[in-house]
Amino acid sequence: MSTLFEPYTLRSLTAANRVWMPPMCQYSAAPEGPLTGAPTDWHFQHYGARAAGGTGLIIVEATGVSPEGRISPYDLGIWNDAQVEAFRRITTFFKSQNTIPGIQLGHAGRKASTDRPWKGGAPLGPEDHGWQAVAPSAVPFDDTHPAPAELTADGIAEIVQQFADAARRSLDAGFEVAEIHGAHGYLIGQFLSPHSNRRTDEYGGSYENRTRFALEVVDAVRAVWPDELPLFFRISATDWLAGEAGWTADETVRFAAELQAHGVDLIDVSTGGNAAGVRIPVGPGYQVPFAARIRGEAGVPVAAVGLITEVEQAEKIVSNGEADAVLLGRELLRDPSFARHAARELGADVHVPDQYHRSV
């Protein structure tokens, strides 16, 4: 029996397998008009193909809790009812394919208001649908980004409420897993790290202060997210900066236990993204050891990411207890039916649409 294709239960939900899809921005929403931030036909076919391909759980890409929280003007958002209605088409299809629908709720902070990656990803001004970015401190991400506006205490409280409102709308849209985006140098990660957080109030300085905003967001979301449904948190386990210059793996292990105490059910473990120009030792499964450490030392369920591309590799990560599930990014972009192909190779069962039974 393949461990990769054993069902996995969190609260009342059971994923049919451990092959999951992580959030990956498509930068394909309308930047203006009545359907700004709403999913389009592109999103439906993109996510639908992976659901039909047997993926057990799909987490829809980073979705802005406010217009200013998007990474780019072309990102998804869930701050109004028109967006909710557009998402329902996707979540309904997921469920018809035995795929759990998840959504990642995020705020880009100082990395907001940028162009699409294939257009260079440069910061955008108002003439190109851009806006003023905000952050814990007025420290730009790099030399190409303008300085963000430092958030006031009232501004922080407003964003916490936006996360809660977005979670409530996500539930209405049919999502069954909510993931809070605390990774890759976006707003929550900016608060966590002393590299980007230079505040001197109750949100900066000590570990307890730097984690305060993240826990406030978690508490606000958990308060509106049903007890029977899981809550995930994506984290960058390290900034890849030496010493105490940034967020560290030791802090991540400590924080994972605190997140669990606040109602988080699973940690989606990535790394990096908060410091420009750092050298990251990229290679097959290079982030898996961070997930394994969190699972082993904090006792919190985890999903592993990072150049997991081979069936045997994915099976080994789960069967060895390094992670409870694997999130396959680039590989699912290349092969929407990875789960079905993996099940065939491992002699396991997976959902196959009736229309595709000739492919079995």
Side-chain angles (χ1 to χ4, degrees):
M1 178 66 183
S2 163
T3 308
L4 190 63
F5 285 91
E6 287 181 357
Y8 185 66
T9 299
L10 287 168
R11 298 199 182 225
S12 69
L13 282 187
T14 298
N17 58 60
R18 321 294 184 94
V19 179
W20 297 354
M21 183 176 176
M24 290 178 286
C25 288
Q26 296 297 292
Y27 305 100
S28 298
E32 60 182 351
L35 291 178
T36 298
T40 65
D41 285 348
W42 173 263
H43 298 94
F44 181 79
Q45 70 79 27
H46 168 67
Y47 290 113
R50 279 80 194 163
T55 309
L57 182 152
I58 295 176
I59 306 174
V60 169
E61 64 199 78
T63 302
V65 299
S66 69
E68 299 77 21
R70 293 170 295 168
I71 302 166
S72 87
Y74 304 94
D75 281 337
L76 295 180
I78 194 158
W79 64 82
N80 65 42
D81 292 340
Q83 295 159 345
V84 169
E85 187 61 33
F87 274 118
R88 285 200 188 110
R89 181 187 181 203
I90 293 174
T91 60
T92 299
F93 184 76
F94 280 10
K95 293 171 187 177
S96 76
Q97 300 302 308
N98 201 29
T99 296
I100 292 175
I103 186 171
Q104 185 184 69
L105 304 176
H107 192 298
R110 68 178 184 173
K111 295 175 77 174
S113 187
T114 59
D115 206 347
R116 293 165 288 188
W118 56 85
K119 294 287 187 179
L124 297 176
E127 68 281 2
D128 294 311
H129 308 295
W131 57 89
Q132 171 67 62
V134 298
S137 304
V139 180
F141 174 65
D142 61 19
D143 293 341
T144 70
H145 284 66
E150 181 171 313
L151 281 163
T152 64
D154 287 344
I156 291 171
E158 181 180 8
I159 292 173
V160 171
Q161 184 61 50
Q162 288 169 348
F163 270 94
D165 292 342
R168 192 180 295 111
R169 289 192 179 95
S170 298
L171 183 67
D172 191 29
F175 288 101
E176 296 177 319
V177 170
E179 176 172 278
I180 296 169
H181 197 354
H184 302 158
Y186 298 121
L187 185 62
I188 291 176
Q190 291 161 26
F191 270 93
L192 293 177
S193 174
H195 177 75
S196 46
N197 185 348
R198 314 288 174 82
R199 299 178 74 95
T200 57
D201 63 1
E202 67 270 29
Y203 290 98
S206 68
Y207 165 89
E208 289 78 11
N209 285 354
R210 287 183 282 112
T211 58
R212 188 183 308 277
F213 173 64
L215 292 177
E216 287 180 352
V217 169
V218 169
D219 289 344
V221 170
R222 188 74 263 184
V224 302
W225 197 247
D227 287 343
E228 66 269 19
L229 295 180
L231 177 63
F232 292 4
F233 190 99
R234 187 166 222 193
I235 197 164
S236 283
T238 176
D239 283 343
W240 296 103
L241 294 170
E244 300 301 317
W247 181 255
T248 68
D250 288 344
E251 288 176 314
T252 295
V253 172
R254 176 182 176 183
F255 190 48
E258 293 177 20
L259 288 170
Q260 186 180 53
H262 283 255
V264 169
D265 299 286
L266 180 140
I267 310 294
D268 173 358
V269 187
S270 189
T271 65
N274 194 45
V278 298
R279 184 172 295 179
I280 299 176
V282 175
Y286 71 105
Q287 295 175 137
V288 174
F290 294 98
R293 183 179 171 193
I294 292 167
R295 190 176 192 265
E297 295 183 24
V300 181
V302 298
V305 305
L307 291 183
I308 302 169
T309 60
E310 303 294 333
V311 173
E312 184 179 353
Q313 177 193 20
E315 170 74 17
K316 184 177 179 181
I317 289 167
V318 178
S319 64
N320 284 354
E322 296 174 278
D324 298 279
V326 290
L327 287 158
L328 306 179
R330 291 175 178 85
E331 193 57 31
L332 274 170
L333 292 182
R334 288 186 284 261
D335 180 4
S337 297
F338 178 92
R340 192 155 66 245
H341 299 153
R344 184 185 301 121
E345 184 173 325
L346 295 170
D349 293 325
V350 70
H351 171 76
V352 179
D354 291 338
Q355 298 89 336
Y356 288 174
H357 266 280
R358 283 169 291 183
S359 69
V360 176

PDB file of all heavy atoms in Angstrom, residues 46-77:
ATOM      1  N   HIS A  46      -7.337  25.931 -15.427  1.00  0.00           N
ATOM      2  CA  HIS A  46      -6.052  25.629 -14.784  1.00  0.00           C
ATOM      3  C   HIS A  46      -6.256  24.745 -13.554  1.00  0.00           C
ATOM      4  O   HIS A  46      -5.654  23.664 -13.433  1.00  0.00           O
ATOM      5  CB  HIS A  46      -5.368  26.939 -14.400  1.00  0.00           C
ATOM      6  CG  HIS A  46      -4.192  26.794 -13.491  1.00  0.00           C
ATOM      7  ND1 HIS A  46      -3.019  26.186 -13.879  1.00  0.00           N
ATOM      8  CD2 HIS A  46      -4.004  27.178 -12.192  1.00  0.00           C
ATOM      9  CE1 HIS A  46      -2.162  26.211 -12.874  1.00  0.00           C
ATOM     10  NE2 HIS A  46      -2.731  26.791 -11.838  1.00  0.00           N
ATOM     11  N   TYR A  47      -7.102  25.173 -12.650  1.00  0.00           N
ATOM     12  CA  TYR A  47      -7.319  24.399 -11.431  1.00  0.00           C
ATOM     13  C   TYR A  47      -8.158  23.148 -11.707  1.00  0.00           C
ATOM     14  O   TYR A  47      -7.922  22.084 -11.122  1.00  0.00           O
ATOM     15  CB  TYR A  47      -7.983  25.277 -10.372  1.00  0.00           C
ATOM     16  CG  TYR A  47      -7.062  26.330  -9.830  1.00  0.00           C
ATOM     17  CD1 TYR A  47      -7.285  27.680 -10.063  1.00  0.00           C
ATOM     18  CD2 TYR A  47      -5.931  25.972  -9.100  1.00  0.00           C
ATOM     19  CE1 TYR A  47      -6.420  28.649  -9.575  1.00  0.00           C
ATOM     20  CE2 TYR A  47      -5.056  26.928  -8.613  1.00  0.00           C
ATOM     21  CZ  TYR A  47      -5.302  28.266  -8.857  1.00  0.00           C
ATOM     22  OH  TYR A  47      -4.430  29.213  -8.389  1.00  0.00           O
ATOM     23  N   GLY A  48      -9.118  23.283 -12.620  1.00  0.00           N
ATOM     24  CA  GLY A  48      -9.977  22.138 -12.923  1.00  0.00           C
ATOM     25  C   GLY A  48      -9.210  20.951 -13.477  1.00  0.00           C
ATOM     26  O   GLY A  48      -9.501  19.797 -13.153  1.00  0.00           O
ATOM     27  N   ALA A  49      -8.202  21.235 -14.303  1.00  0.00           N
ATOM     28  CA  ALA A  49      -7.407  20.145 -14.874  1.00  0.00           C
ATOM     29  C   ALA A  49      -6.672  19.373 -13.792  1.00  0.00           C
ATOM     30  O   ALA A  49      -6.556  18.142 -13.859  1.00  0.00           O
ATOM     31  CB  ALA A  49      -6.416  20.703 -15.893  1.00  0.00           C
ATOM     32  N   ARG A  50      -6.184  20.059 -12.781  1.00  0.00           N
ATOM     33  CA  ARG A  50      -5.450  19.371 -11.691  1.00  0.00           C
ATOM     34  C   ARG A  50      -6.407  18.599 -10.801  1.00  0.00           C
ATOM     35  O   ARG A  50      -6.061  17.526 -10.281  1.00  0.00           O
ATOM     36  CB  ARG A  50      -4.644  20.378 -10.870  1.00  0.00           C
ATOM     37  CG  ARG A  50      -3.308  20.769 -11.493  1.00  0.00           C
ATOM     38  CD  ARG A  50      -3.440  21.812 -12.580  1.00  0.00           C
ATOM     39  NE  ARG A  50      -2.213  21.926 -13.368  1.00  0.00           N
ATOM     40  CZ  ARG A  50      -2.169  22.507 -14.559  1.00  0.00           C
ATOM     41  NH1 ARG A  50      -3.273  23.023 -15.095  1.00  0.00           N
ATOM     42  NH2 ARG A  50      -1.037  22.582 -15.234  1.00  0.00           N
ATOM     43  N   ALA A  51      -7.621  19.104 -10.614  1.00  0.00           N
ATOM     44  CA  ALA A  51      -8.607  18.355  -9.853  1.00  0.00           C
ATOM     45  C   ALA A  51      -9.005  17.077 -10.594  1.00  0.00           C
ATOM     46  O   ALA A  51      -9.046  15.989 -10.012  1.00  0.00           O
ATOM     47  CB  ALA A  51      -9.833  19.224  -9.592  1.00  0.00           C
ATOM     48  N   ALA A  52      -9.254  17.215 -11.888  1.00  0.00           N
ATOM     49  CA  ALA A  52      -9.592  16.036 -12.689  1.00  0.00           C
ATOM     50  C   ALA A  52      -8.424  15.058 -12.766  1.00  0.00           C
ATOM     51  O   ALA A  52      -8.627  13.862 -13.000  1.00  0.00           O
ATOM     52  CB  ALA A  52     -10.004  16.466 -14.101  1.00  0.00           C
ATOM     53  N   GLY A  53      -7.207  15.552 -12.530  1.00  0.00           N
ATOM     54  CA  GLY A  53      -6.017  14.709 -12.565  1.00  0.00           C
ATOM     55  C   GLY A  53      -5.770  13.917 -11.297  1.00  0.00           C
ATOM     56  O   GLY A  53      -4.762  13.208 -11.200  1.00  0.00           O
ATOM     57  N   GLY A  54      -6.659  14.036 -10.295  1.00  0.00           N
ATOM     58  CA  GLY A  54      -6.560  13.203  -9.096  1.00  0.00           C
ATOM     59  C   GLY A  54      -5.921  13.870  -7.896  1.00  0.00           C
ATOM     60  O   GLY A  54      -5.723  13.216  -6.861  1.00  0.00           O
ATOM     61  N   THR A  55      -5.581  15.163  -7.967  1.00  0.00           N
ATOM     62  CA  THR A  55      -4.954  15.861  -6.844  1.00  0.00           C
ATOM     63  C   THR A  55      -5.892  15.870  -5.644  1.00  0.00           C
ATOM     64  O   THR A  55      -7.070  16.233  -5.767  1.00  0.00           O
ATOM     65  CB  THR A  55      -4.602  17.300  -7.251  1.00  0.00           C
ATOM     66  OG1 THR A  55      -3.877  17.279  -8.477  1.00  0.00           O
ATOM     67  CG2 THR A  55      -3.765  17.978  -6.189  1.00  0.00           C
ATOM     68  N   GLY A  56      -5.372  15.498  -4.474  1.00  0.00           N
ATOM     69  CA  GLY A  56      -6.219  15.335  -3.299  1.00  0.00           C
ATOM     70  C   GLY A  56      -6.722  16.631  -2.700  1.00  0.00           C
ATOM     71  O   GLY A  56      -7.849  16.699  -2.198  1.00  0.00           O
ATOM     72  N   LEU A  57      -5.890  17.668  -2.734  1.00  0.00           N
ATOM     73  CA  LEU A  57      -6.255  18.968  -2.187  1.00  0.00           C
ATOM     74  C   LEU A  57      -5.571  20.024  -3.044  1.00  0.00           C
ATOM     75  O   LEU A  57      -4.383  19.887  -3.361  1.00  0.00           O
ATOM     76  CB  LEU A  57      -5.833  19.086  -0.721  1.00  0.00           C
ATOM     77  CG  LEU A  57      -6.174  20.371   0.050  1.00  0.00           C
ATOM     78  CD1 LEU A  57      -6.313  20.056   1.543  1.00  0.00           C
ATOM     79  CD2 LEU A  57      -5.113  21.461  -0.122  1.00  0.00           C
ATOM     80  N   ILE A  58      -6.286  21.055  -3.417  1.00  0.00           N
ATOM     81  CA  ILE A  58      -5.713  22.164  -4.184  1.00  0.00           C
ATOM     82  C   ILE A  58      -5.905  23.445  -3.395  1.00  0.00           C
ATOM     83  O   ILE A  58      -7.036  23.774  -3.002  1.00  0.00           O
ATOM     84  CB  ILE A  58      -6.364  22.298  -5.573  1.00  0.00           C
ATOM     85  CG1 ILE A  58      -6.051  21.077  -6.429  1.00  0.00           C
ATOM     86  CG2 ILE A  58      -5.897  23.575  -6.275  1.00  0.00           C
ATOM     87  CD1 ILE A  58      -6.740  21.072  -7.789  1.00  0.00           C
ATOM     88  N   ILE A  59      -4.808  24.158  -3.163  1.00  0.00           N
ATOM     89  CA  ILE A  59      -4.872  25.456  -2.499  1.00  0.00           C
ATOM     90  C   ILE A  59      -4.751  26.526  -3.579  1.00  0.00           C
ATOM     91  O   ILE A  59      -3.699  26.677  -4.214  1.00  0.00           O
ATOM     92  CB  ILE A  59      -3.760  25.621  -1.448  1.00  0.00           C
ATOM     93  CG1 ILE A  59      -3.777  24.459  -0.446  1.00  0.00           C
ATOM     94  CG2 ILE A  59      -3.929  26.953  -0.716  1.00  0.00           C
ATOM     95  CD1 ILE A  59      -2.621  24.479   0.535  1.00  0.00           C
ATOM     96  N   VAL A  60      -5.841  27.235  -3.794  1.00  0.00           N
ATOM     97  CA  VAL A  60      -5.847  28.289  -4.805  1.00  0.00           C
ATOM     98  C   VAL A  60      -4.854  29.380  -4.408  1.00  0.00           C
ATOM     99  O   VAL A  60      -4.664  29.698  -3.238  1.00  0.00           O
ATOM    100  CB  VAL A  60      -7.277  28.861  -4.961  1.00  0.00           C
ATOM    101  CG1 VAL A  60      -7.280  30.136  -5.787  1.00  0.00           C
ATOM    102  CG2 VAL A  60      -8.184  27.811  -5.593  1.00  0.00           C
ATOM    103  N   GLU A  61      -4.231  29.934  -5.408  1.00  0.00           N
ATOM    104  CA  GLU A  61      -3.138  30.909  -5.276  1.00  0.00           C
ATOM    105  C   GLU A  61      -3.405  32.035  -4.284  1.00  0.00           C
ATOM    106  O   GLU A  61      -4.560  32.311  -3.927  1.00  0.00           O
ATOM    107  CB  GLU A  61      -2.884  31.536  -6.633  1.00  0.00           C
ATOM    108  CG  GLU A  61      -4.057  32.343  -7.165  1.00  0.00           C
ATOM    109  CD  GLU A  61      -3.979  32.555  -8.653  1.00  0.00           C
ATOM    110  OE1 GLU A  61      -4.311  31.617  -9.417  1.00  0.00           O
ATOM    111  OE2 GLU A  61      -3.581  33.654  -9.072  1.00  0.00           O
ATOM    112  N   ALA A  62      -2.339  32.712  -3.868  1.00  0.00           N
ATOM    113  CA  ALA A  62      -2.426  33.839  -2.948  1.00  0.00           C
ATOM    114  C   ALA A  62      -3.509  34.808  -3.390  1.00  0.00           C
ATOM    115  O   ALA A  62      -3.462  35.377  -4.475  1.00  0.00           O
ATOM    116  CB  ALA A  62      -1.079  34.552  -2.883  1.00  0.00           C
ATOM    117  N   THR A  63      -4.497  34.987  -2.535  1.00  0.00           N
ATOM    118  CA  THR A  63      -5.676  35.784  -2.844  1.00  0.00           C
ATOM    119  C   THR A  63      -5.729  36.957  -1.880  1.00  0.00           C
ATOM    120  O   THR A  63      -5.727  36.775  -0.664  1.00  0.00           O
ATOM    121  CB  THR A  63      -6.939  34.906  -2.720  1.00  0.00           C
ATOM    122  OG1 THR A  63      -6.810  33.788  -3.614  1.00  0.00           O
ATOM    123  CG2 THR A  63      -8.189  35.680  -3.059  1.00  0.00           C
ATOM    124  N   GLY A  64      -5.752  38.163  -2.439  1.00  0.00           N
ATOM    125  CA  GLY A  64      -5.653  39.354  -1.612  1.00  0.00           C
ATOM    126  C   GLY A  64      -6.862  39.575  -0.723  1.00  0.00           C
ATOM    127  O   GLY A  64      -8.011  39.476  -1.172  1.00  0.00           O
ATOM    128  N   VAL A  65      -6.596  39.902   0.532  1.00  0.00           N
ATOM    129  CA  VAL A  65      -7.687  40.199   1.459  1.00  0.00           C
ATOM    130  C   VAL A  65      -8.198  41.623   1.268  1.00  0.00           C
ATOM    131  O   VAL A  65      -9.223  42.005   1.840  1.00  0.00           O
ATOM    132  CB  VAL A  65      -7.249  39.979   2.923  1.00  0.00           C
ATOM    133  CG1 VAL A  65      -6.849  38.527   3.152  1.00  0.00           C
ATOM    134  CG2 VAL A  65      -6.120  40.934   3.327  1.00  0.00           C
ATOM    135  N   SER A  66      -7.474  42.392   0.456  1.00  0.00           N
ATOM    136  CA  SER A  66      -7.881  43.748   0.095  1.00  0.00           C
ATOM    137  C   SER A  66      -7.238  44.075  -1.239  1.00  0.00           C
ATOM    138  O   SER A  66      -6.286  43.401  -1.664  1.00  0.00           O
ATOM    139  CB  SER A  66      -7.417  44.759   1.153  1.00  0.00           C
ATOM    140  OG  SER A  66      -6.003  44.881   1.124  1.00  0.00           O
ATOM    141  N   PRO A  67      -7.708  45.115  -1.947  1.00  0.00           N
ATOM    142  CA  PRO A  67      -7.049  45.491  -3.204  1.00  0.00           C
ATOM    143  C   PRO A  67      -5.565  45.779  -3.021  1.00  0.00           C
ATOM    144  O   PRO A  67      -4.735  45.390  -3.848  1.00  0.00           O
ATOM    145  CB  PRO A  67      -7.820  46.735  -3.645  1.00  0.00           C
ATOM    146  CG  PRO A  67      -9.169  46.600  -3.007  1.00  0.00           C
ATOM    147  CD  PRO A  67      -8.911  45.921  -1.683  1.00  0.00           C
ATOM    148  N   GLU A  68      -5.228  46.435  -1.910  1.00  0.00           N
ATOM    149  CA  GLU A  68      -3.831  46.797  -1.651  1.00  0.00           C
ATOM    150  C   GLU A  68      -2.998  45.615  -1.182  1.00  0.00           C
ATOM    151  O   GLU A  68      -1.770  45.704  -1.111  1.00  0.00           O
ATOM    152  CB  GLU A  68      -3.767  47.916  -0.600  1.00  0.00           C
ATOM    153  CG  GLU A  68      -4.453  49.195  -1.003  1.00  0.00           C
ATOM    154  CD  GLU A  68      -5.978  49.128  -0.884  1.00  0.00           C
ATOM    155  OE1 GLU A  68      -6.488  48.257  -0.127  1.00  0.00           O
ATOM    156  OE2 GLU A  68      -6.657  49.947  -1.553  1.00  0.00           O
ATOM    157  N   GLY A  69      -3.668  44.496  -0.854  1.00  0.00           N
ATOM    158  CA  GLY A  69      -2.947  43.322  -0.380  1.00  0.00           C
ATOM    159  C   GLY A  69      -2.470  42.404  -1.487  1.00  0.00           C
ATOM    160  O   GLY A  69      -1.730  41.454  -1.234  1.00  0.00           O
ATOM    161  N   ARG A  70      -2.875  42.694  -2.725  1.00  0.00           N
ATOM    162  CA  ARG A  70      -2.442  41.847  -3.840  1.00  0.00           C
ATOM    163  C   ARG A  70      -0.962  42.081  -4.172  1.00  0.00           C
ATOM    164  O   ARG A  70      -0.435  43.168  -3.965  1.00  0.00           O
ATOM    165  CB  ARG A  70      -3.286  42.148  -5.081  1.00  0.00           C
ATOM    166  CG  ARG A  70      -4.745  41.764  -4.967  1.00  0.00           C
ATOM    167  CD  ARG A  70      -5.541  42.313  -6.142  1.00  0.00           C
ATOM    168  NE  ARG A  70      -5.549  43.778  -6.133  1.00  0.00           N
ATOM    169  CZ  ARG A  70      -5.967  44.548  -7.141  1.00  0.00           C
ATOM    170  NH1 ARG A  70      -6.404  43.978  -8.261  1.00  0.00           N
ATOM    171  NH2 ARG A  70      -5.949  45.866  -7.032  1.00  0.00           N
ATOM    172  N   ILE A  71      -0.330  41.054  -4.687  1.00  0.00           N
ATOM    173  CA  ILE A  71       1.046  41.196  -5.159  1.00  0.00           C
ATOM    174  C   ILE A  71       1.078  42.072  -6.393  1.00  0.00           C
ATOM    175  O   ILE A  71       1.962  42.924  -6.550  1.00  0.00           O
ATOM    176  CB  ILE A  71       1.662  39.822  -5.479  1.00  0.00           C
ATOM    177  CG1 ILE A  71       1.638  38.907  -4.250  1.00  0.00           C
ATOM    178  CG2 ILE A  71       3.103  39.976  -5.984  1.00  0.00           C
ATOM    179  CD1 ILE A  71       1.902  37.442  -4.569  1.00  0.00           C
ATOM    180  N   SER A  72       0.112  41.872  -7.274  1.00  0.00           N
ATOM    181  CA  SER A  72       0.021  42.651  -8.504  1.00  0.00           C
ATOM    182  C   SER A  72      -1.432  43.002  -8.774  1.00  0.00           C
ATOM    183  O   SER A  72      -2.347  42.399  -8.192  1.00  0.00           O
ATOM    184  CB  SER A  72       0.585  41.852  -9.686  1.00  0.00           C
ATOM    185  OG  SER A  72      -0.418  41.033 -10.257  1.00  0.00           O
ATOM    186  N   PRO A  73      -1.683  43.960  -9.670  1.00  0.00           N
ATOM    187  CA  PRO A  73      -3.070  44.269 -10.022  1.00  0.00           C
ATOM    188  C   PRO A  73      -3.782  43.111 -10.704  1.00  0.00           C
ATOM    189  O   PRO A  73      -5.005  43.143 -10.856  1.00  0.00           O
ATOM    190  CB  PRO A  73      -2.939  45.455 -10.986  1.00  0.00           C
ATOM    191  CG  PRO A  73      -1.579  46.005 -10.772  1.00  0.00           C
ATOM    192  CD  PRO A  73      -0.731  44.852 -10.357  1.00  0.00           C
ATOM    193  N   TYR A  74      -3.034  42.096 -11.111  1.00  0.00           N
ATOM    194  CA  TYR A  74      -3.592  40.972 -11.856  1.00  0.00           C
ATOM    195  C   TYR A  74      -3.842  39.760 -10.963  1.00  0.00           C
ATOM    196  O   TYR A  74      -4.139  38.669 -11.455  1.00  0.00           O
ATOM    197  CB  TYR A  74      -2.643  40.601 -13.002  1.00  0.00           C
ATOM    198  CG  TYR A  74      -2.362  41.779 -13.908  1.00  0.00           C
ATOM    199  CD1 TYR A  74      -1.252  42.583 -13.695  1.00  0.00           C
ATOM    200  CD2 TYR A  74      -3.218  42.098 -14.958  1.00  0.00           C
ATOM    201  CE1 TYR A  74      -1.013  43.694 -14.509  1.00  0.00           C
ATOM    202  CE2 TYR A  74      -2.979  43.198 -15.774  1.00  0.00           C
ATOM    203  CZ  TYR A  74      -1.872  43.994 -15.539  1.00  0.00           C
ATOM    204  OH  TYR A  74      -1.634  45.075 -16.342  1.00  0.00           O
ATOM    205  N   ASP A  75      -3.736  39.937  -9.656  1.00  0.00           N
ATOM    206  CA  ASP A  75      -3.940  38.834  -8.721  1.00  0.00           C
ATOM    207  C   ASP A  75      -5.404  38.681  -8.337  1.00  0.00           C
ATOM    208  O   ASP A  75      -6.214  39.614  -8.455  1.00  0.00           O
ATOM    209  CB  ASP A  75      -3.117  39.054  -7.455  1.00  0.00           C
ATOM    210  CG  ASP A  75      -1.666  38.696  -7.650  1.00  0.00           C
ATOM    211  OD1 ASP A  75      -1.372  37.905  -8.549  1.00  0.00           O
ATOM    212  OD2 ASP A  75      -0.825  39.230  -6.910  1.00  0.00           O
ATOM    213  N   LEU A  76      -5.713  37.500  -7.812  1.00  0.00           N
ATOM    214  CA  LEU A  76      -7.041  37.243  -7.286  1.00  0.00           C
ATOM    215  C   LEU A  76      -7.247  37.978  -5.963  1.00  0.00           C
ATOM    216  O   LEU A  76      -6.300  38.272  -5.234  1.00  0.00           O
ATOM    217  CB  LEU A  76      -7.237  35.742  -7.062  1.00  0.00           C
ATOM    218  CG  LEU A  76      -7.215  34.847  -8.299  1.00  0.00           C
ATOM    219  CD1 LEU A  76      -7.420  33.391  -7.889  1.00  0.00           C
ATOM    220  CD2 LEU A  76      -8.257  35.273  -9.304  1.00  0.00           C
ATOM    221  N   GLY A  77      -8.508  38.243  -5.669  1.00  0.00           N
ATOM    222  CA  GLY A  77      -8.872  38.842  -4.397  1.00  0.00           C
ATOM    223  C   GLY A  77     -10.196  38.281  -3.920  1.00  0.00           C
ATOM    224  O   GLY A  77     -10.954  37.692  -4.694  1.00  0.00           O
TER     225      GLY A  77
END
